[in-house]
Amino acid sequence: MTTSWGDVTLTRHPEDPRDPLRAWDAADEYLLNHLAETGTDLSGTVAVLGDRWGALVTALSAAGAGELVQISDSYLGREATRANLARAGVAPGAVRLLTTQDPPPARIDVLLVRVPKSLALLEDQLHRLAPAVHADTVVVGTGMVKEIHTSTLTLFERILGPTRTSLAVKKARLIHTTPDPAAAPGPNPWPHRYALPADTPAPGLPGRTVVNQAGVFCADRLDIGTRFLLGHLPRGLGRARVADLGCGNGVVGLAVALAEPEAELLFTDESHQAVASAEENFRTHAGEERKAEFTVGDGLADVPAGSLDLVLNNPPFHSHQATTDRTARRMFSDARRALRPGGELWVVGNRHLGYHVTLRRIFGNAELVASDPKFVVLRAVRR
């Protein structure tokens, strides 16, 4: 990526030379060009929210920025940032890498926001950052035109102050907000809590209240794909070690814990918001004494080979705005490695995604457990 401060080489995480998707786009370029052309003072604390693969902080590290802080919900994005900063020769620790669950900086002089896919996550984070913003803070958001809606601008204006947008350049747009110290945005509505419906098809779950941190998929209701999987979970697991892979708010793993009192649970997701939700839900309903592990990471990449008996998975098929099966393929491959011989991967997915083909390629087998007009549940066995 070419910037006013020099070229930077950027990759996503994990690196894959076959991946056609870049680690930056026109929205990142537009924001960086704007900062350079306007001579924005970067000598204070510069907080960058939602920097997807570290393109913004990597470029700004060459611009002589003062204290650079990245705030991200994504484990994969943060690992990409580490690699990109190291490649650019930035010393470890020179950029503070915070998660969306960490306390934000006490004072922010420049706030740069890469608009996330989740409007809820944007709302939550703007509420969390607002106390650190002062009257002279420079606030600039960026995103592709299709990512910025009236509702997006309304959040900036309601929480921080008067907001306007720029002209579009290469289908990207900037958001300019003038902080208003007198703004009264009201309380942060996140995290959100709701009761699982009475017809939830899993023993022990109906009527229980679950929590979703902002940005977790299907934050205000039970996802219909998850609902379908809940109605077809394996039974009689005994002391099995079970992973809820891509756990979201952890409802699937919680259902197993409630139905299988001896099972040992692992909840893993690349989202800090998701794992925080899953842990709170598990501790609330399964008890503090119940054994479970909660990991923010790259799926099952760090799980010892042959250590799991069962993996349950509702894989995503988007990477930000791009539709791709790359994440699902990696999840399936990692599951096969982590399962013991005879261990099983159970997957729920939209019928049209053709996961049975991918599973047969990776596992050598795939069995249809259940189907309806929209979803299938598939079972693959580690031979």
Side-chain angles (χ1 to χ4, degrees):
M1 180 176 71
T2 299
T3 77
S4 297
W5 306 286
D7 292 349
V8 290
T9 300
L10 304 167
T11 59
R12 295 184 171 216
H13 181 85
E15 293 185 34
D16 183 349
R18 299 166 298 178
D19 185 3
L21 300 174
R22 296 190 309 180
W24 77 97
D25 63 16
D28 298 312
E29 294 174 325
Y30 195 178
L31 175 56
L32 293 169
N33 288 338
H34 167 78
L35 297 175
E37 291 169 2
T38 58
T40 301
D41 182 2
L42 302 173
S43 60
T45 298
V46 180
V48 184
L49 172 64
D51 187 8
R52 294 178 179 176
W53 305 102
L56 296 176
V57 293
T58 303
L60 291 172
S61 65
E67 182 187 12
L68 262 177
V69 182
Q70 184 199 66
I71 303 168
S72 173
D73 180 44
S74 169
Y75 173 88
L76 298 180
R78 188 160 68 158
E79 291 306 295
T81 299
R82 291 188 201 278
N84 289 327
L85 288 171
R87 190 182 297 109
V90 179
V95 178
R96 289 175 61 197
L97 302 180
L98 301 181
T99 78
T100 48
Q101 288 286 302
D102 291 328
R107 176 186 171 92
I108 297 173
D109 301 301
V110 178
L111 174 59
L112 307 176
V113 179
R114 178 61 208 253
V115 173
K117 181 179 180 181
S118 168
L119 196 65
L121 183 59
L122 177 63
E123 180 178 33
D124 173 65
Q125 292 301 302
L126 290 182
H127 271 286
R128 287 169 57 88
L129 295 170
V133 171
H134 54 85
D136 295 323
T137 300
V138 175
V139 180
V140 187
T142 189
M144 302 306 291
V145 169
K146 63 184 178 181
E147 299 170 331
I148 298 176
H149 311 285
T150 301
S151 55
T152 311
L153 306 178
T154 299
L155 284 182
F156 277 88
E157 182 137 347
R158 176 168 59 82
I159 299 171
L160 297 181
T163 296
R164 60 182 177 85
T165 58
S166 71
L167 297 173
V169 174
K170 295 182 180 178
K171 298 183 180 180
R173 198 179 292 278
L174 299 180
I175 299 169
H176 299 283
T177 297
T178 303
D180 178 7
N188 187 347
W190 299 97
H192 178 71
R193 287 173 168 80
Y194 66 92
L196 292 169
D199 61 350
T200 301
L205 280 186
R208 291 184 184 265
T209 297
V210 293
V211 63
N212 270 30
Q213 298 285 337
V216 178
F217 178 65
C218 216
D220 60 350
R221 63 194 183 282
L222 182 63
D223 164 53
I224 56 175
T226 298
R227 172 190 283 273
F228 191 64
L229 178 59
L230 287 173
H232 301 91
L233 291 175
R235 304 298 184 195
L237 301 178
R239 297 181 180 274
R241 181 162 166 77
V242 182
D244 186 348
L245 172 59
C247 63
N249 70 356
V251 168
V252 170
L254 176 60
V256 172
L258 295 176
E260 307 284 344
E262 295 183 313
E264 182 180 331
L265 276 299
L266 165 65
F267 295 83
T268 181
D269 202 292
E270 76 105 14
S271 161
H272 294 270
Q273 301 285 97
V275 173
S277 303
E279 183 164 10
E280 182 172 347
N281 288 325
F282 186 86
R283 294 304 175 202
T284 298
H285 299 295
E288 292 290 338
E289 70 286 349
R290 182 67 184 271
K291 186 175 182 180
E293 184 179 348
F294 302 87
T295 302
V296 181
D298 182 9
L300 299 173
D302 296 326
V303 173
S307 64
L308 296 175
D309 299 293
L310 174 66
V311 177
L312 304 171
N313 184 214
N314 182 359
F317 54 93
H318 289 93
S319 177
H320 300 294
Q321 297 293 335
T323 300
T324 174
D325 68 347
R326 180 172 178 252
T327 301
R329 284 187 282 109
R330 290 188 57 252
M331 284 180 158
F332 300 165
S333 295
D334 285 349
R336 184 182 183 280
R337 182 194 58 79
L339 285 166
R340 63 166 176 78
E344 299 178 359
L345 168 65
W346 288 51
V347 176
V348 64
N350 294 78
R351 298 178 66 95
H352 72 272
L353 294 174
Y355 285 152
H356 61 288
V357 176
T358 306
L359 288 171
R360 285 172 184 152
R361 186 179 303 123
I362 294 171
F363 281 79
N365 65 92
E367 173 192 340
L368 179 65
V369 174
S371 67
D372 69 8
K374 187 173 179 63
F375 295 102
V376 293
V377 174
L378 302 169
R379 169 180 173 267
V381 181
R382 169 77 159 94
R383 303 300 188 192

